[in-house]
Amino acid sequence: MVRILFNHSHAYAYTSSECYVRIKEEFHHEGDVNIGVFLPVHTFYTANKIPHASVPSMFLFNLCRYNFKIHQLVLALIFAIKEINRNPHLLPNISLGYDFYNVPYSERNILTNVLFWLTGLIRFQKFHCNYNCVNERKSAAAITGLSWAKSAHIGTLLELYNFPQLTVGPFEPIFSDRGQFTSLYQMAPKGTTLSLAMVSLMLHFGWTWVGLLIRDDHRGTQFLADIREKMEKNQVCIAFVEMIQSTLNSLAYKYWKSLGIIQETLANIIIIFGDNDSLQGLMSNIGQQILTNKVWVMTSEWDVTNIADYFLLDSFHGSLIFSQHHEQVPEFKNFIQTVNPYKYPEDNYLPKLWFLFFKCSFSELDCHLLDNCQPNASLELLPRHIFEIEMNEDSYNTYKAVYTVAHSLHEMNLQQLQMQPFGNGERMVFFPWQLHPFLRNIHVGGNMALEWKQKLDDDKYDILNFWNFPKGLGKKVKVGNFLPNAPQSQQLTLSEKMIQWPERYSEIPHSVCSEGCGPGFRKVSLEGKAVCCYDCTPCADNEISNETDMENCMKCPENHYAETEKKHCLQKAVSFLNYEDPLGMSLTTIALCFSVLTTVLLGLFVKHRDTPIVKANNRTLSYTLLITLTVCFLCALLFIGRPNTTTCILQQITFGGAFTVALATVLAKAITVVIAFKVTFPRRVLRWLIISKAPNFIIPMCTLIHLVFCGIWLGTSPPFLDQDAHAEHGHIILVCNKGSDFAFHGILGYLCFLALGSFSMAFMSRNLPDTFNEAKFLSFSMLVFFCVWITFLPVYHSTKGKVMVAMEVFSILASSAALLGFIFVPKCYIILIRPDKNSVHHIRNWPHSRSNNPLKT
């Protein structure tokens, strides 16, 4: 008894019909020239190894697994031969036939049918490899597939006869060794850009965390090396790699270690590279788990349509399949729709299909199919995951292989006719090895006029989406393609709206190790982790990132600043110590008020110029000092407002010059007091110093020295307009650069030297009669001047921008106000409040007066 079981694109059902045993595995269609075809349409195996009682090497309760997807290749072969035989321009007067033999799963018996075909013997006859038992050799070539291992085994035998072999399975690099496989031709394109196509898909959807299920053989190892290189180059990371053994045990339903890894991984995208034999067991377990949270990316060599179980298809809904692009043959679909076992009785598998799916029955006498089937029975009615009516990649390679042989025979026939025309009734006579030169010419594209020909180096891929909607449909829909020879931005084309994702996802799935770092953040790699696993850290000050997952933040230009979220650089506003700012307005008001006050005091002194208090200590110096202090207060206005090169130069010249004159005037007043009260010169010399007004020469001398300093400063490194982009966030501060810090500090040092001299002179005369003596007030004013400018220096160097300018203005106003207040406020008090003290009578009655030292001017 043989049990017929359908699973994994292999239909399994149970029947007691003995016709499944009695119908032969092989079948033939006679022609003038035949093609041998070796494909694994069905496989016998046993679950319980109970030996048969009478037949050696056989077991009871055998299981028969049918692969109807491979049967489509047989139908493509029949279709191609039918087309060729009807074409009057290709092999005229010569018909093509075929000899089909099933290839068993076991490698032990894989060459049995090949030997029967080569020797012409039937089963159970003893054959000899060096003998041909048929009178006339009609076989031209052999077509094998889909497993490269089975093709290699068959090729080893065919090489002994130099017999042409065409493989229709995936491209196998080993077969390119012309030293070992001199008679073998591969119909499939090389497929060298598959890894690039898959990585391009990952990049398109932003999938950077991907798992790999790969069969454990040389093809899988090569694919792993290729895709790992492409992924590393494009920063796509491998979450896990599971190498699946290609053994018979993989067909058993057992719990794989790989299944646990797939269920636990955070990767939502898993790439599958393998064939039916290597991945069938694992994918069956996955299907049974109903994993609807994974998107499977695979090749047509093994795709989800291999799963025939209605309940397992949900796990693979939304999968993406890469299929090597091939031209569609429109007539093939119509052929599939109309094919039936009555129209093509030589195909022994069509009756079995009709029996299983269309309620037909066999005749118990000869196992012929009875005409009692379901009305309008057609392969088109079968679910797509069981049988496809469109020509797939492998069917097209089979179709192409038949035409390759036909065109080679046609070329050889033309050559024979040119050399020696055939007589009546004669046919083309040849040895299979004679076909090689013509096969090579056709195979490498020598005959480019053939419309059916596809370049073997063309690695275009169609991207298919598996739909299980409605339930059980199992349909593959083209949603895009990959063109490796196109510009990089145009290589991948996708129609995203057509893509159906697994039921769990309402939008494009994500598959990342770490969530993306949004704008304003940058990635920080984690030690010992893949590059796709990282932390996010905010950008540093004045740096931005305006894209997702940026490795480094971008520094804003000098005239821009990063906004709070650090996503964009904004233009900095130009700023300066403006009159409209509260700080600028306050300093301006203070400067103007003090300048007005100083002017008023000057007017008051002019009005009371003949009073003793004004005439004391040289009223000319007092007038000069008041005018200079007015200039000092007003020069502070040069520091407020929008600066330019002119104001930058005037600031330092005016500030230094005004204070030089002011301090020189104070020094002159202090020296005047010393001359009047402290010197021990003879009376004649003293009178000459007073009359000649020698102290007044101090002012021009000190001013001249200052002008020399300024000349050197302006000649070597003058002040200039500068921008400070860092002092205040979001602003560019216009400031005056001193040009030479040494010159600036030199001027301050010179002013401090004058202040020190004035303080020394005033300190020497601090205990002289109060009526005439202003030495104490001069000392206090110089002491405050020192405090202001000594405090100014550290504060000035620790501030920036407008605050620094404001500090300089404040120091100017404070030191000027100190001179004004300590020197002139006491005199104004006497003039305005105590006029009784501002009289000659009061002076004469002062006990400490020294009438012999008049200081009137």
Side-chain angles (χ1 to χ4, degrees):
M1 178 181 295
V2 179
R3 295 182 178 179
I4 311 303
L5 181 63
F6 295 90
N7 197 0
H8 305 303
S9 90
H10 317 294
Y12 288 100
Y14 292 96
T15 178
S16 59
S17 175
E18 294 182 356
C19 289
Y20 281 97
V21 178
R22 296 175 62 182
I23 294 178
K24 295 181 180 180
E25 295 182 14
E26 68 273 4
F27 53 89
H28 312 274
H29 178 76
E30 290 298 325
D32 297 328
V33 180
N34 286 351
I35 300 174
V37 183
F38 300 90
L39 296 171
V41 176
H42 75 270
T43 301
F44 284 100
Y45 67 99
T46 181
N48 300 316
K49 295 184 178 182
I50 303 176
H52 195 280
S54 58
V55 182
S57 302
M58 291 293 290
F59 300 95
L60 296 175
F61 304 105
N62 291 324
L63 298 176
C64 182
R65 185 185 64 188
Y66 283 94
N67 191 330
F68 293 124
K69 289 178 66 64
I70 294 183
H71 183 238
Q72 192 202 51
L73 276 62
V74 178
L75 295 178
L77 169 87
I78 297 173
F79 171 72
I81 289 177
K82 179 183 176 182
E83 276 191 340
I84 293 168
N85 289 338
R86 292 168 56 184
N87 187 350
H89 304 292
L90 184 61
L91 288 177
N93 302 320
I94 299 175
S95 64
L96 272 183
Y98 60 86
D99 300 309
F100 174 81
Y101 293 89
N102 185 69
V103 177
Y105 183 86
S106 172
E107 295 179 358
R108 181 181 59 181
N109 300 320
I110 198 170
L111 297 180
T112 304
N113 286 335
V114 182
L115 287 170
F116 283 130
W117 177 65
L118 287 173
T119 60
L121 295 175
I122 62 174
R123 288 186 180 276
F124 307 115
Q125 284 184 325
K126 185 176 181 180
F127 53 80
H128 302 277
C129 295
N130 292 331
Y131 293 90
N132 179 16
C133 298
V134 293
N135 295 327
E136 185 180 357
R137 165 64 67 183
K138 298 193 300 181
S139 299
I143 296 177
T144 63
L146 295 169
S147 167
W148 74 269
K150 294 180 175 63
S151 293
H153 279 293
I154 296 173
T156 304
L157 177 60
L158 296 179
E159 284 292 332
L160 298 176
Y161 297 89
N162 201 12
F163 207 100
Q165 178 186 3
L166 292 83
T167 63
V168 297
F171 187 87
E172 174 52 54
I174 290 179
F175 292 155
S176 299
D177 182 3
R178 305 311 298 175
Q180 183 179 1
F181 298 97
T182 59
S183 304
L184 189 146
Y185 306 89
Q186 298 190 75
M187 293 295 104
K190 292 183 177 180
T192 54
T193 61
L194 175 62
S195 57
L196 177 62
M198 287 187 170
V199 172
S200 298
L201 181 72
M202 305 297 118
L203 295 175
H204 178 82
F205 289 115
W207 297 332
T208 58
W209 194 237
V210 181
L212 298 177
L213 290 176
I214 300 175
R215 68 182 185 186
D216 191 7
D217 62 6
H218 66 282
R219 289 191 66 214
T221 303
Q222 182 60 50
F223 174 77
L224 177 60
D226 291 342
I227 200 168
R228 190 191 297 273
E229 177 186 357
K230 300 293 190 305
M231 292 172 77
E232 289 177 353
K233 186 180 297 183
N234 293 279
Q235 294 189 340
V236 179
C237 300
I238 299 176
F240 67 87
V241 178
E242 279 298 299
M243 305 299 289
I244 310 302
Q245 294 290 334
S246 300
T247 63
L248 183 61
N249 293 331
S250 65
L251 298 177
Y253 289 172
K254 69 177 184 179
Y255 189 81
W256 288 65
K257 176 177 70 73
S258 307
L259 184 60
I261 296 175
I262 294 171
Q263 291 174 323
E264 295 174 4
T265 182
L266 296 177
N268 294 322
I269 310 300
I270 298 178
I271 294 176
I272 301 174
F273 182 82
D275 55 16
N276 290 336
D277 295 341
S278 60
L279 297 177
Q280 193 174 99
L282 173 62
M283 301 316 291
S284 296
N285 279 281
I286 291 174
Q288 292 172 358
Q289 299 298 321
I290 315 298
L291 297 177
T292 59
N293 61 336
K294 305 296 181 185
V295 178
W296 309 96
V297 179
M298 58 193 74
T299 65
S300 58
E301 185 178 350
W302 193 98
D303 62 55
V304 290
T305 57
N306 290 336
I307 299 292
D309 195 316
Y310 176 89
F311 298 100
L312 302 186
L313 294 176
D314 280 338
S315 293
F316 301 98
H317 173 71
S319 298
L320 296 172
I321 305 165
F322 281 82
S323 174
Q324 285 179 325
H325 177 76
H326 61 273
E327 301 298 329
Q328 285 293 336
V329 182
E331 296 81 4
F332 181 73
K333 183 176 181 180
N334 182 63
F335 169 78
I336 293 295
Q337 291 171 338
T338 58
V339 72
N340 61 68
Y342 310 107
K343 192 173 183 180
Y344 298 94
E346 66 274 13
D347 187 344
N348 291 342
Y349 291 99
L350 285 176
K352 299 179 182 182
L353 271 171
W354 254 248
F355 173 81
L356 292 170
F357 295 106
F358 302 121
K359 301 179 180 179
C360 300
S361 59
F362 290 105
S363 169
E364 295 181 0
L365 297 177
D366 53 8
C367 279
H368 285 175
L369 193 69
L370 298 177
D371 191 8
N372 59 352
C373 305
Q374 177 181 325
N376 301 320
S378 170
L379 294 177
E380 184 182 19
L381 302 178
L382 297 181
R384 294 297 176 265
H385 60 275
I386 293 178
F387 198 96
E388 293 182 281
I389 62 173
E390 293 85 6
M391 183 173 282
N392 60 29
E393 178 183 332
D394 296 326
S395 299
Y396 182 76
N397 289 336
T398 305
Y399 177 82
K400 189 166 58 174
V402 176
Y403 265 91
T404 300
V405 174
H407 279 279
S408 301
L409 289 169
H410 184 79
E411 294 294 326
M412 185 172 65
N413 186 41
L414 291 177
Q415 187 182 82
Q416 289 183 355
L417 288 174
Q418 291 174 357
M419 295 177 62
Q420 183 178 358
F422 297 148
N424 292 332
E426 291 185 358
R427 293 186 303 176
M428 180 175 60
V429 179
F430 67 96
F431 292 100
W433 56 265
Q434 292 178 306
L435 201 60
H436 283 301
F438 304 96
L439 280 172
R440 294 190 186 101
N441 184 46
I442 298 296
H443 184 258
V444 298
N447 190 347
M448 298 306 295
L450 304 179
E451 295 182 358
W452 57 270
K453 190 77 176 80
Q454 183 185 32
K455 293 182 181 179
L456 292 181
D457 59 348
D458 191 356
D459 277 350
K460 297 179 183 178
Y461 282 92
D462 293 332
I463 302 175
L464 312 177
N465 186 214
F466 178 68
W467 292 2
N468 191 36
F469 178 82
K471 297 282 187 179
L473 175 65
K475 182 177 179 59
K476 291 187 293 187
V477 179
K478 182 178 177 179
V479 294
N481 53 49
F482 179 79
L483 307 176
N485 296 325
Q488 186 173 2
S489 59
Q490 302 174 14
Q491 287 180 334
L492 183 68
T493 304
L494 281 175
S495 178
E496 294 186 13
K497 293 183 179 179
M498 292 183 61
I499 299 177
Q500 293 286 329
W501 299 110
E503 296 178 358
R504 174 179 174 179
Y505 301 105
S506 58
E507 56 184 12
I508 297 175
H510 294 282
S511 187
V512 294
C513 178
S514 300
E515 289 298 327
C517 297
F521 293 83
R522 65 178 180 89
K523 298 194 296 185
V524 178
S525 300
L526 298 177
E527 187 176 355
K529 299 282 188 176
V531 295
C532 302
C533 304
Y534 48 80
D535 281 337
C536 300
T537 185
C539 292
D541 292 339
N542 208 38
E543 291 184 352
I544 65 161
S545 62
N546 52 10
E547 297 179 3
T548 303
D549 290 341
M550 291 190 66
E551 297 284 348
N552 298 296
C553 298
M554 298 182 297
K555 195 172 184 63
C556 291
E558 287 293 328
N559 57 346
H560 288 72
Y561 70 98
E563 42 92 23
T564 306
E565 295 182 349
K566 299 183 179 179
K567 297 180 181 179
H568 304 284
C569 290
L570 304 179
Q571 181 76 36
K572 288 184 177 180
V574 177
S575 180
F576 47 85
L577 188 59
N578 201 347
Y579 292 109
E580 298 176 357
D581 293 340
L583 181 59
M585 187 179 296
S586 301
L587 294 175
T588 301
T589 302
I590 294 172
L592 291 176
C593 290
F594 272 106
S595 61
V596 170
L597 178 61
T598 307
T599 304
V600 171
L601 291 181
L602 177 62
L604 182 64
F605 270 56
V606 171
K607 181 180 179 181
H608 297 84
R609 60 184 177 278
D610 294 327
T611 60
I613 195 69
V614 175
K615 294 172 67 177
N617 296 103
N618 198 328
R619 63 184 172 186
T620 303
L621 294 177
S622 297
Y623 294 157
T624 303
L625 182 57
L626 286 172
I627 294 173
T628 304
L629 289 177
T630 303
V631 175
C632 288
F633 286 122
L634 293 177
C635 82
L637 301 179
L638 291 173
F639 294 83
I640 304 173
R642 189 183 187 96
N644 53 57
T645 304
T646 303
T647 57
C648 287
I649 295 175
L650 288 177
Q651 283 177 8
Q652 304 308 320
I653 294 177
T654 307
F655 156 69
F659 270 92
T660 298
V661 174
L663 293 174
T665 302
V666 173
L667 179 61
K669 292 173 73 67
I671 292 175
T672 300
V673 174
V674 171
I675 291 174
F677 294 100
K678 295 290 286 185
V679 298
T680 56
F681 297 136
R683 183 177 293 272
R684 183 181 300 175
V685 176
L686 177 63
R687 185 174 183 83
W688 177 82
L689 289 172
I690 296 174
I691 294 174
S692 64
K693 300 180 180 180
N696 292 347
F697 290 102
I698 294 175
I699 298 174
M701 290 176 59
C702 294
T703 305
L704 180 61
I705 294 173
H706 170 72
L707 293 176
V708 171
F709 283 158
C710 288
I712 296 173
W713 186 0
L714 296 178
T716 55
S717 181
F720 59 90
L721 181 64
D722 197 6
Q723 296 181 349
D724 189 348
H726 308 287
E728 187 175 341
H729 181 71
H731 293 82
I732 296 177
I733 310 299
L734 296 181
V735 294
C736 288
N737 192 300
K738 301 300 187 290
S740 172
D741 289 335
F742 178 79
F744 173 68
H745 291 89
I747 293 295
L748 290 182
Y750 176 64
L751 295 178
C752 290
F753 173 75
L754 293 178
L756 180 62
S758 301
F759 177 78
S760 300
M761 292 295 103
F763 187 80
M764 290 171 59
S765 55
R766 66 188 183 282
N767 293 322
L768 296 179
D770 291 341
T771 304
F772 296 97
N773 187 15
E774 57 181 354
K776 290 183 179 180
F777 302 118
L778 294 178
S779 300
F780 277 120
S781 64
M782 290 301 99
L783 188 61
V784 174
F785 185 90
F786 269 120
C787 292
V788 169
W789 288 104
I790 289 175
T791 306
F792 163 79
L793 287 175
V795 176
Y796 178 82
H797 287 291
S798 63
T799 56
K800 293 182 179 180
K802 293 189 291 186
V803 178
M804 182 179 67
V805 179
M807 277 302 305
E808 190 169 358
V809 173
F810 176 78
S811 299
I812 292 172
L813 296 177
S815 55
S816 301
L819 294 176
L820 179 66
F822 283 104
I823 296 176
F824 293 101
V825 168
K827 295 182 180 182
C828 291
Y829 173 78
I830 293 175
I831 292 173
L832 298 175
I833 306 301
R834 299 295 301 274
D836 55 306
K837 293 185 177 182
N838 191 18
S839 63
V840 177
H841 176 74
H842 176 74
I843 294 172
R844 286 176 178 175
N845 293 332
W846 189 259
H848 300 289
S849 67
R850 297 178 62 178
S851 59
N852 57 340
N853 290 325
L855 297 175
K856 298 176 182 179
T857 58

